Amino acid sequence: MKIFRHFLLILLLFAENSFAQTFEVLPLGVYGGLNEANISSYLVKSTSSDQYIAMDAGTLYAGLVKAKMLQNISLNPTDFLQHHVQSYFISHPHLDHISGLILNAPSLKNKTIYGLQFTTDAIVKHYFSWDTWANFGDEGEKPQLKNFHIATLQNEQPIQDSISNLKITPFILSHASPHHSTAFLIQNKDTYILYFGDTGPDRIEKSTHLENVWKYVAPLIKKKQLKAVFIETSFPNSQPDKLLFGHLTPSWLNKEFTTLANYTGKKALKNLSIVITHIKPEGDHENTIKNELKAKNPFHLKWIFPKQGVPLYF
Ligand SMILES: [Zn+2]
Ligand SMILES: [Zn+2]
């Protein structure tokens, strides 16, 4: 009996270890438009570190004000950014993914902005320009204020972020062809989170970029190493295909998971955490999208609707 009890205890410890939380994500902005105080930005860190990386930076300051009000952080927003967020990964240069960073640029020092070439080019050309604002970067127009180092990533080439101790791999996406966006696969030891910037379905975009990412992460899902997928659902199902502008609906999202299931098998997707980002909160769209996702969930995914300033653990 005693041996049996010991065996149970060991089993329990083992189970706890393999399901231990390894990531914290603090959403600073969760919508895809309208409310400029709550648009795409997610801080990600290892649970064993106090250094975050930012996935997009639509809203920074207002999200940290909310997090502080909820007592989920203790520093004021500017000190928090200065001490805890050194690296900013931008999926694409649309303003709803970078405006918070641009507006906070004067008070930030020694930061790095990472993006694929189309992103860093647009930032240098259009935002860190003396015609529109000031050049806070270390490339392009002179004088350069150099608050930020601009680091251009290569598609599918991982980089090790020595400050957060996370490894990040970018994947190019299609976002209203011929325009692009990026997915970032974030690795913390042998666990992963996958963050998608805005993207349309492969069939509408006439692309294979999403399928390419699914193929890449399928083995990680099968081994239960991928802990969460952050992906957009901008519009409800009533949005006509010709007016998607490079975005997904609940129905198109499920079609994409059908492609993923071809690589993982259906069973492997059960209870996978899917964080729904970038809802465009016009009219009653937010409730409609949530209801449509709940009503039709053929792969038994775990839909998560993030809240500004409330940390998620995976
Ligand atoms: Zn967007
Ligand atoms: Zn966009």
Side-chain angles (χ1 to χ4, degrees), residues 6 12 32 38 43 68 92 127 144 185 195 214-215 231 272 278 308:
H6 279 159
L12 218 76
N38 195 354
L43 302 185
K68 187 157 194 260
H92 65 302
Y127 302 146
Q144 301 166 344
L185 182 65
Y195 172 86
W214 296 140
K215 223 187 285 184
I231 191 161
L272 178 63
H278 209 268
Q308 185 179 45

Side-chain angles (χ1 to χ4, degrees), residues 96-97 198 278:
D96 58 316
H97 296 256
D198 299 358
H278 209 268

Side-chain angles (χ1 to χ4, degrees), residues 92-97 175 180-181 198-199 232 245-247 278:
H92 65 302
H94 283 167
L95 280 168
D96 58 316
H97 296 256
H175 177 33
H180 289 114
S181 175
D198 299 358
T199 182
E232 70 136 278
F245 309 113
H247 292 295
H278 209 268

Side-chain angles (χ1 to χ4, degrees), residues 27-301:
L28 297 186
V30 303
Y31 292 122
L34 278 189
N35 181 354
E36 75 274 17
N38 195 354
I39 43 181
S40 293
S41 182
Y42 298 84
L43 302 185
V44 180
K45 74 173 185 69
S46 160
T47 46
S48 59
S49 165
D50 65 356
Q51 291 298 317
Y52 295 84
I53 58 175
M55 291 291 119
D56 284 326
T59 297
L60 294 178
Y61 196 97
L64 291 166
V65 168
K66 185 71 187 283
K68 187 157 194 260
M69 202 184 82
L70 297 170
Q71 298 182 323
N72 290 326
I73 61 165
S74 50
L75 291 178
N76 71 55
T78 300
D79 286 340
F80 186 91
L81 290 174
Q82 195 50 49
H83 296 297
H84 293 289
V85 195
Q86 311 309 326
S87 306
Y88 297 79
F89 291 80
I90 306 300
S91 66
H92 65 302
H94 283 167
L95 280 168
D96 58 316
H97 296 256
I98 194 173
S99 53
L101 187 60
I102 299 169
L103 292 177
N104 281 278
S107 58
L108 300 176
K109 295 271 164 359
N110 297 319
K111 307 296 182 192
T112 303
I113 299 178
Y114 292 92
L116 290 175
Q117 187 90 52
F118 65 88
T119 300
T120 52
D121 278 355
I123 293 169
V124 170
K125 190 172 163 205
H126 300 297
Y127 302 146
F128 286 173
S129 154
W130 292 99
D131 286 333
T132 56
W133 187 228
N135 186 0
F136 290 102
D138 62 353
E139 278 184 27
E141 289 175 19
K142 301 220 159 77
Q144 301 166 344
L145 300 174
K146 301 190 178 179
N147 297 26
F148 294 90
H149 170 53
I150 309 287
T152 299
L153 301 168
Q154 302 299 319
N155 192 34
E156 294 192 29
Q157 298 296 308
I159 64 126
Q160 180 74 39
D161 184 61
S162 58
I163 303 158
S164 64
N165 232 343
L166 299 170
K167 194 172 171 181
I168 298 96
T169 309
F171 296 85
I172 197 160
L173 299 173
S174 187
H175 177 33
S177 183
H179 298 287
H180 289 114
S181 175
T182 314
F184 296 107
L185 182 65
I186 308 155
Q187 180 179 0
N188 176 16
K189 298 197 181 83
D190 61 350
T191 61
Y192 299 79
I193 278 181
L194 177 60
Y195 172 86
F196 284 94
D198 299 358
T199 182
D202 275 352
R203 208 188 304 166
I204 300 288
E205 299 282 329
K206 299 186 176 33
S207 156
T208 52
H209 289 318
L210 269 175
E211 182 169 11
N212 179 47
V213 180
W214 296 140
K215 223 187 285 184
Y216 193 98
V217 300
L220 305 177
I221 293 174
K222 287 207 265 190
K223 284 184 274 175
K224 301 275 173 216
Q225 290 178 316
L226 184 70
K227 296 199 143 188
V229 177
F230 287 65
I231 191 161
E232 70 136 278
T233 309
S234 294
F235 296 115
N237 287 335
S238 58
Q239 191 79 4
D241 288 351
K242 63 175 188 304
L243 297 178
L244 284 177
F245 309 113
H247 292 295
L248 295 168
T249 62
S251 151
W252 278 112
L253 183 65
N254 276 321
K255 283 189 190 110
E256 287 299 335
F257 284 124
T258 306
T259 309
L260 174 59
N262 289 338
Y263 293 103
T264 59
K266 198 174 165 178
K267 235 170 78 189
L269 295 186
K270 196 176 174 190
N271 285 327
L272 178 63
S273 290
I274 309 298
V275 182
I276 301 298
T277 66
H278 209 268
I279 290 176
K280 289 181 180 283
E282 279 136 50
D284 199 33
H285 282 183
E286 185 174 3
N287 279 326
T288 308
I289 290 169
K290 287 178 178 175
N291 289 336
E292 287 173 348
L293 284 167
K294 286 175 196 158
K296 200 156 177 250
N297 184 5
F299 300 104
H300 306 286
L301 297 157

